[in-house]
Amino acid sequence: MPTTTWNRHHILSLADFTPTEYNAILQTTASFQEVLSRRTKKVPTLQGQVVANLFFEPSTRTRSSFELAAKRLSADTLNFASATSSMTKGETILDTAKTYLAMGCDIMVIRHTCAGVPNAIATEMDRLGERVSVLNAGDGQHEHPSQALLDLFTICSIIDPVNPRLELLKDKKIAIVGDILHSRVARSNIWSLTASGAELHLAAPPTLLPKLFADYVNDSGVSELNGKRKLFIHWRLEDALRDADFVMTLRLQKERMTAHLLPSLREYHQMFGITRAKLDWCKPNVKVLHPGPVNRGVEISSDLMDDPEFSLIQSQVTSGVAVRMALLYLIGSGKAV
Ligand code: NCD
């Protein structure tokens, strides 16, 4: 493993991540990718530690990816799904978390439909003087740090597979297209991708991309990074895609839509769906990302999604395990048993 100093105890948001921290994650992930390419894909790093996956909302890839990452690090894993838990009997979220704490849990990976739940649990653990770390696996419309970090790793390692690092993205043009309003993935990527010096262009119909997103980065109170970030919003897809190096498309999150924000899915696909024809606006070797799950034929055409020349969707899932190993390692290695 590379020698890095890591001081962060919880990972809840990327808003105040430093370039040094991003590079520590990218470097550590590259080392774990090497481990995952071996015949024996397991290391004893977190032996004796307990990682609990507390998912209060459905998930396929994030939950499985965290579970596999913890197992590859030899941690003991506990999986919780709210539908089959004592929450159905009225137990509160904090009492559920304290139950896992009492079993000796070292790291809690938390997903919840409400923004702020991982922060609330982390605050309570700190108040109690407990050493347990909390990792946000997606909270409402707030943030999804591990997804943005795996997106960052996927993009950097396409440019330099041997030494993926933040500086590689300086002056690249990256577009994020789709349901930005409801997306925690976009809200985390806004931090990581602008910290890299890339130009980040958001595109969606106005109902899914309010103007205030233009101020999201610079009015955030993260003063040391103000002014150095390049974030643009567009209501016309072509403006965002022109000469782009990378295009990330996002799912229309119907479960979070409380009003009729689009005339029809057909019209949305025509105007904002990513297809091979629309990629003609981009750089010739453009690559396409999507965090999944995908509505085929809505935010991306089915053939493009499966086209290995353009699509990085499967690599994102593969990188996800190594990135989450890196996160568990970095926050877990200070907790030797
Ligand atoms: C995303 C999520 O849950 O926020 N998916 C994921 O974690 N891979 C995006 C989505 O649900 O559309």
Side-chain angles (χ1 to χ4, degrees), residues 158-218:
I158 279 287
I159 303 171
D160 184 349
V162 178
N163 186 9
R165 58 199 185 280
L166 202 61
E167 297 71 38
L168 294 169
L169 296 191
K170 196 169 175 321
D171 301 326
K172 297 281 182 217
K173 179 170 175 179
I174 303 173
I176 302 185
V177 181
D179 186 358
I180 300 191
L181 178 66
H182 299 103
S183 177
R184 53 194 175 207
V185 174
R187 282 181 181 80
S188 285
N189 268 306
I190 279 174
W191 297 120
S192 47
L193 296 176
T194 57
S196 70
E199 259 187 31
L200 185 58
H201 294 256
L202 309 179
T207 46
L208 298 179
L209 180 54
K211 245 187 180 156
L212 63 87
F213 266 86
D215 300 328
Y216 193 77
V217 170
N218 284 326

Side-chain angles (χ1 to χ4, degrees), residues 44-54 66-67 69-71 73-80 97 99-109 131-135 328-329 331-333 335-337:
T45 323
L46 294 190
Q47 210 159 41
Q49 291 203 32
V50 178
V51 176
N53 286 319
L54 307 184
F66 267 115
E67 183 180 351
K71 287 186 163 143
L73 294 169
S74 306
D76 295 316
T77 53
L78 295 171
N79 283 310
F80 160 96
T99 302
Y100 281 90
L101 178 68
M103 286 183 222
C105 177
D106 298 283
I107 301 177
M108 291 182 189
V109 179
R131 287 174 67 238
V132 63
S133 287
V134 175
L135 238 152
L328 293 171
Y329 164 78
I331 62 173
S333 53
K335 302 180 198 292
V337 278

Side-chain angles (χ1 to χ4, degrees), residues 5 10-11 22 40 53 64 77 85 105 117 131 139 183 187 289 295 319 333:
T5 42
H10 306 295
I11 298 180
Y22 286 118
T40 306
N53 286 319
S64 306
T77 53
S85 76
C105 177
V117 168
R131 287 174 67 238
D139 61 330
S183 177
R187 282 181 181 80
L289 298 99
N295 293 309
S319 304
S333 53

